[in-house]
Amino acid sequence: MHEAGLMEEALRAAEQAAREAGAERIHRLRLRIGRLSGVEPEALRLAFEALRPGTIAEHAHLDLEIAPVLCRCRRCHVEFAPEDFVFLCPRCGIPSAEVLRGLELELLAVEAS
Amino acid sequence: MTSPQETSPPLKVLHLGKDLLASNRQHAAANRARFQAAGVLVVNLLSAPGSGKTALLERTLSDLADRWPVAVITGDLQTDNDARRLAGRGAVIVPIATGTLCHLEASMIGRACEELDLTRLQLLFIENVGNLVCPASYDLGETRRIVLLSTTEGEDKPLKYPLAFKSADAVVITKTDLAEPAGFRREEARANVTAVAPQADIIELSARTGQGMQEFYLWLEAALVSRSAAAVHR
Ligand SMILES: Nc1nc2c(ncn2[C@@H]2O[C@H](COP(=O)(O)OP(=O)(O)O)[C@@H](O)[C@H]2O)c(=O)[nH]1
Ligand SMILES: [Mg+2]
Ligand SMILES: [Zn+2]
């Protein structure tokens, strides 16, 4: 599990951004988690619960946006959203390796005052 | 109409778009530049615990260390057992104790490299922490990534750990000497690897009997030749 380390990084970045904007309290953190990022949303929530006491995000909401996977076929170059982790092109039926989206691990935004 | 809210400071929405792996990515890029400048092929080995990473390296070092200057960085949770198994085979071994951390990060590799003279090396192996989940997300700046799958651990591993397999340049199926007693369904395993990781080469070998080891060395040699055309991971 490396979700704790990632959450720590998110809280650190959020706190820094909030303070730079002259805010003292974080009300909401919005994260985007790609379906292929290898991160479990539930583990991230648990890490958030464990880490937030005593920080300026102590009473914040955590919004997790799960980003779907988008691939491109290496033969016909069509872009498609696969249903599972076998990325079969809907046109050619061949497996694809190119991942355009779905790997994201991002702190999108912070609401603070 | 006045409300109590008006006296509290206004809510600010700060759009950050911050990549949470950015710091690892920066360290990985620095490592990669350093490896390229030194002309060393760096191979990151990922697998579940016990798939045979250390055994593969034991045999490889014994066979190759007098042909190519080679070193190994081993990541282990608590012990330096793997480093001890690899010692005395003509390679420099740098153990990293990761403590409770379940994967190696690029900054740890950067520090370990301080103990190596990269310009004298041709080949640097990194034995990652035994784990198929977390290490997959951490680019170490390696030139090639290999995922190991042993014949004793189930044909559906690629479907269960897609991220690791998708990031692999090669999948090495280990312990082929145990395939028969384990009832390993070879075609099914290969089909699963190809379905999840169509980009990966597949090599089957046994570090115990030596079967397939030559093919592995040829793969390494080809990678040594085309170092600059390396796949770039996250
Ligand atoms: N029969 C057989 N056993 C192997 C082979 N490779 C590794 N092993 C055994 O599998 C166990 C785990 O191997 P190890 O190299 O420590 O795996 P690691 O955790 O991935 O480094 C050890 O008991 C090895 O002796 C092989 O090719 N054949
Ligand atoms: Mg080992
Ligand atoms: Zn297609």
Side-chain angles (χ1 to χ4, degrees):
Chain A
M1 287 297 164
H2 54 299
E3 281 83 355
L6 291 170
M7 200 64 230
E8 240 173 287
E9 178 73 19
L11 279 171
R12 189 163 43 229
E15 184 160 346
Q16 189 189 343
R19 290 200 192 282
E20 278 170 9
E24 287 162 6
R25 199 177 268 275
I26 294 176
H27 303 278
R28 189 176 300 273
L29 286 97
R30 286 177 43 214
L31 270 67
R32 178 182 290 152
I33 309 301
R35 280 264 288 135
L36 198 58
S37 66
V39 163
E40 290 294 335
E42 269 322 297
L44 216 46
R45 285 197 181 280
L46 284 176
F48 180 62
E49 295 307 324
L51 290 167
R52 67 179 174 174
T55 72
I56 66 169
E58 177 149 15
H59 302 291
H61 290 277
L62 176 63
D63 291 351
L64 296 181
E65 175 187 321
I66 310 299
V69 180
L70 187 70
C71 332
R72 178 159 44 207
C73 174
R74 63 196 151 117
R75 186 192 288 160
C76 74
H77 307 292
V78 70
E79 293 180 9
F80 62 97
E83 275 168 21
D84 57 19
F85 291 121
V86 178
F87 299 167
L88 290 182
C89 172
R91 270 200 221 158
C92 320
I94 63 166
S96 185
E98 194 184 354
V99 178
L100 302 176
R101 289 217 312 266
L103 290 164
E104 301 90 334
L105 282 177
E106 281 174 14
L107 174 59
L108 289 179
V110 168
E111 291 177 16
S113 65
Chain B
M1 200 178 91
T2 54
S3 74
Q5 258 107 19
E6 277 172 59
T7 56
S8 63
L11 193 68
K12 294 173 185 162
V13 181
L14 311 169
H15 294 280
L16 303 175
K18 185 181 168 17
D19 174 10
L20 297 179
L21 289 173
S23 143
N24 187 70
R25 257 183 252 276
Q26 282 158 14
H27 284 288
N31 290 351
R32 186 165 280 120
R34 214 166 147 192
F35 297 149
Q36 262 165 12
V40 58
L41 175 73
V42 182
V43 180
N44 183 8
L45 300 177
L46 265 64
S47 81
S51 299
K53 297 180 296 298
T54 310
L56 175 63
L57 289 175
E58 284 177 303
R59 182 132 196 165
T60 303
L61 296 186
S62 296
D63 289 347
L64 295 187
D66 53 358
R67 219 166 108 203
W68 297 327
V70 48
V72 185
I73 296 173
T74 58
D76 221 331
L77 291 174
Q78 303 293 350
T79 68
D80 61 351
N81 280 346
D82 287 351
R84 276 190 275 113
R85 280 169 60 188
L86 295 170
R89 295 168 196 267
V92 181
I93 314 295
V94 183
I96 299 179
T98 58
T100 57
L101 198 65
C102 50
H103 59 273
L104 289 171
E105 296 191 4
S107 57
M108 305 163 89
I109 298 302
R111 281 195 298 276
C113 283
E114 297 304 325
E115 298 182 35
L116 296 168
D117 184 354
L118 290 176
T119 58
R120 285 175 174 273
L121 291 178
Q122 287 257 48
L123 198 51
L124 170 61
F125 289 106
I126 301 170
E127 176 172 344
N128 218 309
V129 180
N131 176 346
L132 265 180
V133 181
C134 311
S137 298
Y138 290 84
D139 182 6
L140 302 181
E142 71 263 33
T143 337
R144 292 286 192 274
R145 184 178 291 190
I146 295 181
V147 171
L148 288 77
L149 166 69
S150 68
T151 57
T152 56
E153 64 189 297
E155 297 78 5
D156 58 350
K157 269 268 158 84
L159 305 175
K160 287 185 180 156
Y161 300 92
L163 183 59
F165 284 87
K166 280 179 188 301
S167 71
D169 296 296
V171 171
V172 172
I173 298 177
T174 59
K175 310 192 193 178
T176 53
D177 59 298
L178 298 179
E180 221 180 288
F184 179 65
R185 295 188 299 277
R186 174 173 180 268
E187 292 309 323
E188 184 182 331
R190 291 183 67 106
N192 285 341
V193 171
T194 306
V196 171
Q199 79 290 347
D201 299 319
I202 303 179
I203 301 166
E204 299 179 33
L205 56 77
S206 165
R208 181 71 51 87
T209 66
Q211 186 198 20
M213 291 299 297
Q214 284 309 320
E215 192 190 338
F216 179 60
Y217 300 149
L218 286 174
W219 187 90
L220 288 175
E221 202 164 348
L224 270 169
V225 171
S226 65
R227 254 167 290 199
S228 48
V232 175
H233 297 285
R234 276 157 295 290

